[in-house]
Amino acid sequence: ETNKLYCTSVKCCIFELKAELNSDKKEKKKEAVKKVIASMTVGKDVSALFPDVVNCMQTDNLELKKLVYLYLMNYAKSQPDMAIMAVNTFVKDCEDPNPLIRALAVRTMGCIRVDKITEYLCEPLRKCLKDEDPYVRKTAAVCVAKLHDINAQLVEDQGFLDTLKDLISDSNPMVVANAVAALSEISESHPNCNLLDLNPQSINKLLTALNECTEWGQIFILDCLANYTPRDDRESQSICERVTPRLSHANSAVVLSAVKVLMKFMEMLPKDLDYYGTLLKKLAPPLVTLLSAEPELQYVALRNINLIVQKRPEILKHEMKVFFVKYNDPIYVKLEKLDIMIRLASQANIAQVLAELKEYATEVDVDFVRKAVRAIGRCAIKVEQSAERCVSTLLDLIQTKVNYVVQEAIVVIKDIFRKYPNKYESVIATLCENLDSLDEPEARAAMIWIVGEYAERIDNADELLESFLEGFHDESTQVTTQQNTQVLHKHTQNTPDSDNPDLRDRGYIYWRLLSTDPVAAKEVVLAEKPLISEETDLIEPTLLEELICHIGSLASVYHKPPNAFVEGSRGVQHKRLPARTASGESAESPDAGQSVGGVSDAPPAVIPSQGDLLGDLLNLDLAPPSASVPVVPASMQMGVDLLGGGLDSLVGLHRPSGSQYLSGDIGGSPIAVGLAGGTGGMPAGLGGTPAMGGGLGDLFDLGGGVGMATGSYVPPKAVWLPAMKAKGLEISGTFARRGGGIHMDLSLTNNAMSIMTDFAIQFNRNSFGLAPAGPLQVLTPLAQNQTIDVSLPLNTNGPIMKMEPLNNLQVAVKNNIDVFYFSCQYPISLLFVEDGKMDRQVFLATWKDIPSENETQYQIKDFHLNSDAASTKLQGSNVFTVAKRTVDAQDLLYQSIKLTNGIWALAELRIQSITPNYMLALKCRAPEVSQYICQCYELLLRN
Amino acid sequence: MIGGLFIYNHKGEVLISRVYRDDIGKGRGGWRNAVDAFRVNVIHARQQVRSPVTNIARTSFFHVKRSNIWLAAVTKQNVNAAMVFEFLYKMCDVMTAYFGKISEENIKNNFVLIYELLDEILDFGYPQNSETGALKTFITQQGIKSQTKEEQSQITSQVTGQIGWRREGIKYRRNELFLDVLESVNLLMSPQGQVLSAHVSGRVVMKSYLSGMPECKFGMNDKIVIDKQGKAGASDEAGKSGKQSIAIDDCTFHQCVRLSKFDSERSISFIPPDGEYELMRYRTTKDIILPFRVIPLVREVGRTKLEVKVVIKSNFKPSLLAQKIEVRIPTPLNTSGVQVICMKGKAKYKASENAIVWKIKRMAGMKESQISAEIELLPTNDKKKWARPPISMNFEVPFAPSGLKVRYLKVFESKLNYSDHDVIKWVRYIGRSGIYETRC
């Protein structure tokens, strides 16, 4: 019967409906409204009926009333003036004796986004928020969020936020849950004001409501709890204890939100605590259970497990089997399971994993098969003992001759060769047999690499390479790059006795294209290849931390921070994991935990080293810079630049003193302790702050700040690219940190006979992701014998690859004549950031927490500065003295440094008055940077 | 939160549309743009669905499918994704409870009801009480019922209250309850008979027809509980019961169960909803009784012929009977003809399903049966080898493959004059095949 409604509604005209709506008969009226709603649903515009429908509003038939309200919600916005007609009925309904009708009215009114109506909404809403019936209150709580979305100012002015806060203490659990949901949403658009005001008392209320409210309410409360930072490990543990029962809830979202709270608060627990281990064990079973949910939820769960496995691999390391793919799993579940299998693969389970992967490689879905083949290669790289079996499995797969399987296998074998050089070359013959079937760029590039790399072991390497060269012009850049490299590679190995003139000539062409300097070419091409990393596609640690804070949400499904897919202000705020704070030494300020978030687990930098070193440089875009950079009138650009530079240097001057002033009470302790030590009175411990410290410290720091006019250390310019290597272009330069930004200061000199134009610059991947923040601003042509100074702002958002030495930077500069390559090294102090001052307690905890094998000792010889002067000097380059202690005529400075990528280094600098030698002990979770930091210490102190 | 909810038929026509938030309809065309985007990019997409979450132009779409009906939730925010899917499933449950199967016709016939439900269970995109038991007290298809003041406040206190799943004042002449232990046993076995993975996922479904607000306590042979009792009680009893107890990997409960009590004492206590509901779900992996063993033998005779022999063995007490046994043997796509011989049951080659389907009505424990088939193949140029999908099995057995036993279900209702002994209780065990596969 209603089916008819759907059909006729399309045909039936507005006129007929109008008549029916105005009918005297109630039944007819109701049927007409139904037809209107049906038309609305299928997308027909029935807004013309607005007055007629609103006329039906005053009825005692609840069903009819609901339909009219539904209509109003849809069309009120397009007919604001007429919507006012409805206000009276709403206001009246808000006073109805039936709580269901009161709630209905306040619920609907909030959905009508017409300014004039919202004014009338305030009074009824105020009453409903204090209604005797919980059903009305819980509806009114959500209504505040609705109103806030329409007119935030109004909500604040009317004091609704306070009423909403009061509802958190309501006796009814559902009212509490909705109030929490509304407040959480409102506070997202006010990140700074502490709307929710979470404190141990309110947390206790929430935890009580958690046991009593609906499954959805539990989710709201858990998601809200996750935003709280407990004061210390004891509070953290007690919250965890009360949240763990939720892991047995039938609703997967409740479980995932509980997991989020636990994963976050666990960060604060000491690892040696028994409870810590218990909690870890409790997390695995519910995560596995999520995999027996419906496929869509499995997908959400798997995306989250992928994050959890990266953050805490120990939780699921014994659960490999549950991630085995089932034949009938939807493809999205299969791909995610495979991803997790690779992450969990270890020596203990590798045999099983390989057997599974081989099975998957024969399935139907091409993406899945490719991923499975790739996974076999990852296993070989990850678990050395399995490499041989992996290679033989891959060879088996190549024998299937399935085109995409073969190509994928060759790509991963290349990686295996890179990881284990000269070990499996016996398989090369088999690979060469399949040369003809390779039609994908990545596979061709891989094959060329293999042939070039093992040229001396392949009899007909020349021919093979040449066969690839035939299609040179049609190839993608990936392949051509690889060809260039490998032809050159072969060339540099045996140029003199290559008796194939064709190959030699071609080689020369590429050679010239690359550089005019054969020595440099050899340096570049035959350079040590970077090690291949064991883990693939690891999420960058700070992002991972943020995503852990978003477990269960869309961000965790996309593996992207919310601001990457949410518009406007919502979700822009970055979340971080709390740092560990022991109850005995609880942090002095509540936000100390946040400001140093993640210190306790400062993860090592992720260094993916796939791809070829040279590849990137050769891929340099050869188009003139104007193509990608909007052309800005030179004069204006210059003006901005000057101003920017001026401001920068001003800020650079003042910032250290300013920030020092703010943290006066901490920074102040050195002098106070120093005094105490001098009189030989109190033994001053690292943790103790003498009462008088603060005031004196301020004075001292003021002085220090003003006296420190030099700012951070800038090494003198050095010649990076001599003119004879670059057709007359000489580049010298240095690096500087100014105003919190990194700059590469270059001097370009034209020693050639013609003018130079169209400059562009590009960096190769490097250890810290340094990359130009803008184009190289050489706007006027560079005339003969002219020198121009350019300051290139840099950022650290570029691609990352571990370099040797770590601070090496390979640069390509292009002008109208050619492309030139050079490499230079930057002082690592360039990367010391301004907020690198660690809280004292955190410093102490972190120092203890970093294992002693990560400690390195250095001696800085023949040095005569006293400790205060040294401290001041270092501070100018963002090496911050956290505390100072004097023992046996030795000054001990405890210092913290933070690098741009979030790595912290902690230092103990021992200054003896008797000998002119400084002793430096460095502790860092990424010990490979220690050596470079030490070099910087010496550099900074001596200049 | 959820910005809007749309229901489509298989053609991509909108049957139900409910918009909760303005943000999904910004710009020209309003929320219609979102409706169309989903139709074009997901329903009409050529490719198989690659993800249940789709992001189109900064708008996220969550979808589930029931027969040929699509339910899509739309949002512009960083919502709790797990919650959205749970809600969509719940929404399906509620609709099924009201009008049966989710089909285009049923949706069209009940669209007014669906709008009313959507208004109630989702407010500004926040899920609200969605327990059918509670909803049915005030969302009825009878139009307005004149409720007394007491009735009204009873409804609202139930919808918002601690026990939102049960109303007060339920009366039965005969207090009765039914417990079904439903298990699905999952297996992946290698051709050589090695268990690659096996687990049981079980559910305890309860139908309760009890008066008042009864307090229930459920007990089963959970190893942790038995061991704890064993320590306290006599040692010989512990030894005896220890054998019968099972190790539960993990379990989840209906929201009526007091989780904190389970966490601290491992006891399962609750006030049940009226009628049928799922009390708990659990998962076990240890000491599973695999009711059937499948032994495959596939031999390729030249390029145009396959010989297949499959033996099934039943592995449970001879006095029990398995039912609805079905073995599905996949055949290559280029099969031209099949000849089958089986000792028991009926076997047929189903070309449309690319499989030989062998059905046996009943089979007792500790028996075995065999099928052999010759498969003729058309010669093909396709280089790709046949993927050999696993042989799958379906069956039903009258016991719980996990070994789970219900030890008691006690009912206490202090206010009414019936005791635990007066309640008639029924317990039934059914073990079914989940994904029960043997590779060949």
Side-chain angles (χ1 to χ4, degrees), chain B residues 105-336:
Chain B
E105 200 188 347
N106 277 346
I107 288 173
K108 282 182 169 175
N109 283 333
N110 292 285
F111 85 100
V112 174
L113 169 75
I114 295 174
Y115 277 126
E116 201 175 340
L117 285 170
L118 282 177
D119 198 41
E120 187 57 46
I121 59 180
L122 212 51
D123 190 6
F124 202 38
Y126 288 105
Q128 305 292 305
N129 193 333
S130 44
E131 285 300 310
T132 334
L135 290 172
K136 279 192 169 170
T137 59
F138 68 107
I139 296 187
T140 55
Q141 289 164 289
Q142 266 80 60
I144 186 82
K145 255 200 316 189
S146 55
Q147 294 146 330
T148 64
K149 208 161 176 191
E150 287 74 50
E151 280 172 335
Q152 284 165 7
S153 77
Q154 205 186 322
I155 289 168
T156 57
S157 79
Q158 196 212 328
V159 173
T160 60
Q162 283 191 34
I163 308 165
W165 53 87
R166 188 182 181 92
R167 64 188 168 90
E168 300 230 17
I170 298 172
K171 278 202 184 79
Y172 287 102
R173 272 235 315 257
R174 200 160 102 126
N175 287 300
E176 199 171 17
L177 65 85
F178 299 85
L179 270 180
D180 280 346
V181 176
L182 306 173
E183 295 197 336
S184 88
V185 52
N186 297 276
L187 169 76
L188 184 61
M189 194 174 252
S190 76
Q192 293 75 32
Q194 187 194 357
V195 176
L196 296 173
S197 72
H199 76 272
V200 167
S201 55
R203 306 187 297 144
V204 178
V205 174
M206 186 173 171
K207 260 181 253 173
S208 71
Y209 304 105
L210 302 169
S211 310
M213 295 297 256
E215 181 73 40
C216 297
K217 208 172 166 192
F218 175 67
M220 55 187 177
N221 57 340
D222 178 359
K223 192 165 188 299
I224 297 175
V225 177
I226 304 273
D227 288 357
K228 211 160 52 179
Q229 288 171 348
K231 260 180 217 154
S235 59
D236 62 314
E237 204 206 4
K240 213 172 75 188
S241 56
K243 225 188 258 170
Q244 290 162 353
S245 66
I246 62 160
I248 293 173
D249 287 22
D250 188 36
C251 47
T252 60
F253 297 99
H254 184 267
Q255 59 171 321
C256 66
V257 176
R258 293 184 188 89
L259 294 179
S260 36
K261 207 155 180 193
F262 178 75
D263 194 58
S264 56
E265 303 162 23
R266 222 173 157 87
S267 76
I268 302 165
S269 61
F270 53 96
I271 296 172
D274 192 42
E276 184 172 340
Y277 74 102
E278 189 180 289
L279 175 66
M280 72 178 282
R281 280 184 186 216
Y282 56 92
R283 184 166 47 81
T284 73
T285 45
K286 286 201 189 73
D287 304 321
I288 294 170
I289 307 158
L290 296 170
F292 285 95
R293 164 95 201 270
V294 176
I295 304 155
L297 200 77
V298 180
R299 206 161 66 92
E300 288 175 41
V301 186
R303 296 205 55 181
T304 57
K305 202 168 144 190
L306 275 180
E307 281 180 6
V308 180
K309 196 174 108 179
V310 176
V311 179
I312 60 166
K313 287 184 178 172
S314 58
N315 175 36
F316 44 88
K317 269 192 238 162
S319 57
L320 298 175
L321 272 181
Q323 296 185 69
K324 300 176 193 168
I325 301 146
E326 185 184 291
V327 181
R328 190 169 278 266
I329 304 160
T331 55
L333 298 174
N334 56 335
T335 302
S336 61

Side-chain angles (χ1 to χ4, degrees), chain A residues 593-654:
Chain A
Q594 280 161 354
S595 62
V596 292
V599 171
S600 67
D601 247 294
V606 180
I607 303 176
S609 44
Q610 287 162 298
D612 200 76
L613 226 159
L614 197 69
D616 288 343
L617 280 179
L618 284 168
N619 280 339
L620 180 72
D621 190 358
L622 291 174
S626 57
S628 54
V629 183
V631 183
V632 181
S635 58
M636 191 183 137
Q637 192 74 33
M638 289 303 283
V640 170
D641 217 9
L642 274 175
L643 190 62
L647 274 179
D648 273 357
S649 45
L650 279 173
V651 174
L653 260 176
H654 286 288

